[in-house]
Amino acid sequence: MQDGMISGDIQVGAGSAAQMILARDKGVDWRYLASLNDAELWLMAKDERLTSLSDFTSSDKIAMPSLTSIQALVLRKGAQDQLGDAEALDTNIVPMSHPDGLQNLVSGQIAAHLTSPPFQFDEQDQGMRVVLKSSDLFGPIMFNGVFMMNEYYEQNTEFSTRLYSILEEQIAALADDPAAAAAELSANSGGKTTPESFEKYLTNPAITYTTEPHGLQDIAGFMEEIGMISETPDSWKDLTFPTVHESAGS
């Protein structure tokens, strides 16, 4: 997606704050048009001996999307706070997709999975336990947001502003009638996920849908602290377009 946006083949993308900030620090000229959600990211485990990060041994593998994902950042913040070394568990990390991580955790092939909604909800339903929550480390943070290149935004400001308005409208619709949204999502999935499951996902307090970005400075500051980026932006507004500058984001 990042390569496609740089080349101009993709105009609008979505991803985590860690992904966006890291690429920006390396010269990718993009910003957030809007947040999509805040989320608690949970480190899930099956083995009852794993109650904190200090219980993990070198053989306990922890699955997550990648070493540069927002999940990796959460684990490093937890390791810094609990173990005194942000990189203490880096060798435990195994890059793995969310669905594969869920299957491998439930089957006992890995010790833990640092994932996201709705996978962490499904794991909890199957008896997995929460070892660590991102909210205990960073407070409320944006999980995913919509970004675009600066040049594209400047050349298509009217479209970009309208897209932001549509996102606001749809997020309001999720809050106003989650049952209706769940029914539509289930239909769009071809019935693979029931309306009841979608409504459970939409109303779980661990995820909040909002266009306001939260925690960007906290995330960037920690990334600089552990050497992932060269410097923290002066303001969260440096990471966003005017569409969100008047919001209460921070």
Side-chain angles (χ1 to χ4, degrees), residues 38 47 62 70 80 82 89 96 98 102 118 120-121 142 146 165 170 178 195 197 200 207 224 228 231 234 249-250:
D38 291 345
D47 194 328
I62 304 172
I70 188 69
Q80 183 187 69
Q82 293 187 20
L89 297 174
M96 194 175 295
H98 293 310
L102 186 156
Q120 61 196 28
F121 304 153
M142 187 182 74
V146 175
S165 297
Q170 295 306 309
S197 292
K200 185 177 179 181
I207 185 165
E224 180 186 1
M228 287 184 70
E231 62 179 353
D234 292 334
S250 60

Side-chain angles (χ1 to χ4, degrees), residues 89-165:
L89 297 174
D90 275 12
T91 57
N92 295 69
I93 297 175
V94 179
M96 194 175 295
S97 70
H98 293 310
D100 288 343
L102 186 156
Q103 293 178 5
N104 280 274
L105 178 62
V106 173
S107 65
Q109 300 302 305
I110 55 174
H113 186 203
L114 216 168
T115 180
S116 68
F119 302 96
Q120 61 196 28
F121 304 153
D122 292 343
E123 290 170 354
Q124 189 175 49
D125 288 343
Q126 296 185 60
M128 308 299 106
R129 296 175 299 100
V130 180
V131 177
L132 185 74
K133 290 183 178 182
S134 63
S135 58
D136 293 332
L137 305 170
F138 289 107
I141 56 171
M142 187 182 74
F143 178 39
N144 283 312
V146 175
F147 40 61
M148 58 180 57
M149 304 298 287
N150 278 305
E151 182 180 9
Y152 182 80
Y153 176 85
E154 291 168 0
Q155 294 175 352
N156 300 274
T157 303
E158 184 177 351
F159 162 77
S160 302
T161 303
R162 177 57 183 148
L163 176 58
Y164 178 80
S165 297

Side-chain angles (χ1 to χ4, degrees), residues 217 232-239:
Q217 287 296 93
T232 304
D234 292 334
S235 167
W236 64 273
K237 293 183 179 181
D238 294 335
L239 302 171

Side-chain angles (χ1 to χ4, degrees), residues 20-86:
M20 184 273 204
I21 293 169
L22 181 62
R24 180 186 179 277
D25 188 70
K26 295 184 180 301
V28 178
D29 191 23
W30 61 6
R31 295 185 186 189
Y32 275 116
L33 179 77
S35 173
L36 290 174
N37 47 50
D38 291 345
E40 282 186 347
L41 305 181
W42 301 345
L43 175 65
M44 307 296 294
K46 183 177 183 179
D47 194 328
E48 292 186 358
R49 70 180 172 84
L50 300 174
T51 60
S52 71
L53 296 185
S54 62
D55 296 321
F56 283 77
T57 68
S58 59
S59 62
D60 291 320
K61 299 305 178 184
I62 304 172
M64 63 186 64
S66 75
L67 285 163
T68 58
S69 64
I70 188 69
Q71 284 84 1
L73 202 66
V74 169
L75 183 67
R76 288 172 179 142
K77 177 62 172 171
Q80 183 187 69
D81 290 358
Q82 293 187 20
L83 308 176
D85 179 3

